[in-house]
Amino acid sequence: MRPLFTLLLALTTAANAADVLVYGATPGGIASAITAAKSGSSVLLVEPTSRIGGLVTSGLSHTDFHSFESLSGTFADLAKRAEAHYIKTYGADSQQVKDSFRGTFTEPKVNLLVLEAMLAEHPKITLAKETTLSAVTTKDRRIESVTFTSNGKPVTHEALVFIDGTYEGDLMAKAGVAWKTGREGKAEFNEALAPDQADQQLQAYNFRLIMTPEENNRVPASKPEGYRREDFVEVLPALGKEIKKLFDYPKQCVFKAQTPPLPNNKYDINDVSGGYIRLSLPGKNLGWPDGDEAARKAIFAEHVRDQIGLLYFLQNDEAVPEKFREEARQWGFAKDEFTETANRPPQL
């Protein structure tokens, strides 16, 4: 799921309104806020969680791009600053600088540090965290105001321009913008790889775990709430057959440890595409796009139970062959990442 950059214009000209209101401090939302501030606009950047940066600060740190020449805008600035951070902290010739790959492969905590600094440079940007969208008031298909819930109380804001920076498009949906989820049928857009008939399937979700084999910086998986051993025993016959190692790249493993590693010997762990055992849960996420807060929390919890539960099973269950159990125990969550969420990524 990728950020949506659609602008939703409003007619309000209230003296106390921000020029621009951005909902969602994802990378796209942050880029929008900074760009607006550079143009001289006052900006209110609203983030529903306690952490800015979206997946860039929540585990997806091994970024995909094709050439350094193609990097531009806010991301290029982020990468340049991240590399400078590693140079200042560890030295220009350090392994950390080399592993940062010119600042494009960075630890989530460093991405967070840099993004916070980038926002702080712009006094015209006001950041409001843990502020969730409640309602949108429109007139003649234009947004007039947006109401949020902050500290349990409603707060209403007006702006000249509204930008939806969320991954899900929540602001646009509340404003009445037409949308749909699922896959179109092959005939609708003549897509060769589309299914013959439209359906409601979504690409499955998973966490981008940040893990390390470094003994002094690793934390073993703890048993997640709702853990059920019986959910994982079916992986046992695959160990040593379809699964050669638990942590590897790119195939015949359970946890795809993206290579090269991030600085300080951390790994961005991903699902194995087409793998025999998957971290993703196809179909379990179908209620996410239009789900309310409770529905999304339940889906989030189900993925924690499954993905963290699988790791816990492999590290601790005596039915797991000793070779694989020992390998699993040599890996752990990075102790210095996501300290406020038990070292687990705060976003799915």
Side-chain angles (χ1 to χ4, degrees):
M1 302 178 72
R2 299 186 182 276
L4 300 166
F5 301 101
T6 301
L7 303 184
L8 301 176
L9 301 181
L11 296 180
T12 178
T13 56
N16 62 342
D19 295 321
V20 178
L21 188 153
V22 182
Y23 184 54
T26 60
I30 291 172
S32 301
I34 290 175
T35 302
K38 285 181 177 179
S39 75
S41 299
S42 60
V43 182
L44 175 60
L45 176 60
V46 180
E47 167 57 33
T49 73
S50 61
R51 189 180 183 96
I52 67 166
L55 290 175
V56 167
T57 63
S58 293
L60 205 166
S61 301
H62 203 280
T63 52
D64 296 330
F65 64 96
H66 293 284
S67 69
F68 287 108
E69 293 77 14
S70 68
L71 303 183
S72 63
T74 307
F75 180 76
D77 191 15
L78 168 65
K80 181 179 179 180
R81 291 169 183 247
E83 183 181 39
H85 168 85
Y86 285 114
I87 291 173
K88 181 179 179 180
T89 305
Y90 300 102
D93 297 324
S94 65
Q95 188 63 44
Q96 287 87 347
V97 171
K98 295 175 184 177
D99 288 341
S100 77
F101 204 49
R102 300 192 197 177
T104 60
F105 294 169
T106 48
E107 300 160 277
K109 68 176 187 178
V110 172
N111 283 336
L112 178 61
L113 182 71
V114 173
L115 288 173
E116 287 177 335
M118 290 170 68
L119 287 174
E121 291 176 359
H122 298 279
K124 283 185 171 292
I125 297 177
T126 299
L127 174 63
K129 295 188 289 187
E130 297 184 274
T131 302
T132 57
L133 179 64
S134 300
V136 176
T137 300
T138 61
K139 182 179 180 181
D140 298 328
R141 301 182 66 187
R142 302 275 185 168
I143 295 179
E144 289 195 319
S145 64
V146 177
T147 300
F148 300 99
T149 300
S150 179
N151 295 320
K153 299 179 180 179
V155 56
T156 298
H157 292 283
E158 297 178 342
L160 295 172
V161 175
F162 292 85
I163 300 178
D164 192 332
T166 66
Y167 287 120
E168 297 84 358
D170 284 341
L171 176 58
M172 293 196 295
K174 284 277 190 185
V177 175
W179 61 276
K180 63 180 179 179
T181 59
R183 303 186 299 175
E184 299 91 350
K186 184 175 295 184
E188 188 167 353
F189 295 107
N190 196 29
E191 293 179 284
L193 298 181
D196 290 334
Q197 300 296 325
D199 60 36
Q200 296 300 306
Q201 292 300 310
L202 299 174
Q203 183 174 344
Y205 302 171
N206 62 269
F207 292 104
R208 296 296 285 260
L209 307 172
I210 296 295
M211 301 189 68
T212 181
E214 292 289 337
E215 185 174 5
N216 63 352
N217 193 37
R218 71 186 187 212
V219 177
S222 57
K223 184 188 297 186
E225 185 175 352
Y227 174 82
R228 298 186 300 265
R229 178 183 183 272
E230 59 269 24
D231 290 342
F232 307 106
V233 293
E234 291 184 355
V235 309
L236 294 173
L239 300 180
K241 296 180 180 179
E242 292 85 359
I243 302 299
K244 303 301 182 183
K245 293 184 68 176
L246 297 179
F247 291 83
D248 206 359
Y249 182 90
K251 301 291 184 181
Q252 294 186 305
C253 56
V254 177
F255 302 96
K256 184 164 71 174
Q258 309 271 86
T259 57
L262 305 174
N264 294 310
N265 203 25
K266 297 176 185 177
Y267 286 80
D268 175 345
I269 304 295
N270 199 5
D271 181 41
V272 180
S273 301
Y276 191 80
I277 296 173
R278 305 295 298 271
L279 297 184
S280 55
L281 296 174
K284 296 289 188 178
N285 60 338
L286 299 184
W288 184 282
D290 62 344
D292 59 16
E293 185 178 1
R296 289 180 179 177
K297 281 185 176 180
I299 293 170
F300 186 97
E302 177 72 3
H303 284 72
V304 169
R305 185 198 60 75
D306 185 82
Q307 293 173 25
I308 308 303
L310 174 60
L311 179 59
Y312 176 83
F313 174 81
L314 293 170
Q315 288 183 335
N316 295 282
D317 198 281
E318 293 184 357
V320 176
E322 180 59 30
K323 169 188 173 182
F324 289 99
R325 201 170 357 136
E326 178 60 26
E327 181 196 354
R329 287 176 171 172
Q330 290 174 2
W331 288 78
F333 300 123
K335 186 187 300 183
D336 58 348
E337 295 285 356
F338 317 130
T339 55
E340 69 279 13
T341 52
N343 309 111
R344 304 170 184 171
Q347 289 202 27
L348 180 61

